[in-house]
Amino acid sequence: GAVVSQHPSRVICKSGTSVKIECRSLDFQATTMFWYRQFPKQSLMLMATSNEGSKATYEQGVEKDKFLINHASLTLSTLTVTSAHPEDSSFYICSAITGTTIYEQYFGPGTRLTVT
Amino acid sequence: GDSVTQMEGPVTLSEEAFLTINCTYTATGYPSLFWYVQYPGEGLQLLLKATKADDKGSNKGFEATYRKETTSFHLEKGSVQVSDSAVYFCALVVQGGSEKLVFGKGTKLTVNP
């Protein structure tokens, strides 16, 4: 089946620094990629939707200047958390689809970000 | 808004036990309903789905029936295996609405031999 990878799987950074998370579709071209955030014991919350070569569409309440999303190719999207703070510590998950069927998302295994 | 509520975990069962994970929803339109499973160290994957009332989704011995009258989509399996240990997420999407997947909080299942 289709595989989506994320790198790194875990990252610890100091407050005020930026951290980049990569999401790759390994064996297919992704028309659309999604970024989710999951707090402990909470639902996955959609942060943004990105299409290759276009600006990402952010969900209400998500700061686009803080969570920079770049979808430079059909197999790679990156999420950069800028000037990270401890409240940004969370589990970040990406997913990708090949067509337009929204529920047929292929999910990455997630990245655990801890900001100290 | 649209939301999904599923039973709190964790759930611990012995092998061959019967499993039920409850899921109820609220939706602004007519939703399609899903169960996703996340095995340790892996990404979520679609387990089963139902797109209209009274539909039954099934896969790998798991079943869930779309009950419009009770706004529910409970996941069941008659005899769980150790390999079923995972986190299970109930979700919905309202076609023609926001067209976003809305997830429940997830229920962690551990099956002991």
Side-chain angles (χ1 to χ4, degrees):
Chain A
V3 178
V4 172
S5 70
Q6 282 185 241
H7 178 79
S9 57
R10 291 176 182 270
V11 59
I12 300 172
C13 70
K14 292 183 186 267
S15 188
T17 63
S18 295
V19 62
K20 181 185 286 187
I21 302 169
E22 291 187 350
C23 176
R24 292 182 184 272
S25 56
L26 297 185
D27 49 3
F28 66 99
Q29 293 187 323
T31 54
T32 305
M33 286 184 166
F34 305 88
W35 285 96
Y36 294 86
R37 182 173 182 177
Q38 185 180 26
F39 290 105
K41 298 186 179 181
Q42 299 296 317
S43 308
L44 278 74
M45 299 299 296
L46 181 65
M47 299 175 66
T49 302
S50 73
N51 295 292
E52 183 261 341
S54 302
K55 288 187 177 179
T57 302
Y58 290 81
E59 294 299 305
Q60 192 172 8
V62 177
E63 299 176 60
K64 60 181 67 176
D65 294 331
K66 180 165 190 62
F67 298 100
L68 300 178
I69 292 171
N70 185 302
H71 193 160
S73 76
L74 284 171
T75 60
L76 173 64
S77 177
T78 60
L79 168 68
T80 301
V81 183
T82 62
S83 186
H85 291 286
E87 57 265 30
D88 299 324
S89 298
S90 192
F91 195 58
Y92 293 88
I93 299 171
C94 74
S95 68
I97 58 175
T98 58
T100 58
T101 305
I102 201 74
Y103 63 81
E104 288 182 347
Q105 295 181 28
Y106 300 101
F107 288 84
T111 296
R112 171 76 60 194
L113 170 63
T114 303
V115 185
T116 61
Chain B
D2 303 330
S3 67
V4 174
T5 302
Q6 61 182 104
M7 64 187 285
E8 294 276 335
V11 174
T12 303
L13 296 173
S14 297
E15 207 164 21
E16 299 183 4
F18 184 85
L19 168 71
T20 299
I21 301 178
N22 290 338
C23 170
T24 57
Y25 68 89
T26 58
T28 52
Y30 199 118
S32 296
L33 303 173
F34 311 92
W35 278 99
Y36 289 82
V37 58
Q38 184 177 28
Y39 298 105
E42 299 182 15
L44 278 76
Q45 53 187 278
L46 182 63
L47 179 61
L48 54 84
K49 70 179 189 292
T51 58
K52 61 183 189 296
D54 300 325
D55 269 1
K56 178 185 283 188
S58 61
N59 187 22
K60 298 182 181 180
F62 291 89
E63 293 183 339
T65 301
Y66 190 144
R67 301 285 188 203
K68 193 166 186 287
E69 64 276 14
T70 54
T71 63
S72 65
F73 192 55
H74 305 320
L75 182 68
E76 297 182 336
K77 186 173 186 181
S79 176
V80 293
Q81 305 300 311
V82 172
S83 56
D84 294 326
S85 298
V87 181
Y88 293 82
F89 293 87
C90 186
L92 67 81
V93 65
V94 177
Q95 303 287 354
S98 65
E99 303 228 8
K100 295 181 294 188
L101 271 171
V102 176
F103 289 92
K105 295 181 181 180
T107 302
K108 183 175 182 179
L109 169 67
T110 301
V111 180
N112 295 317

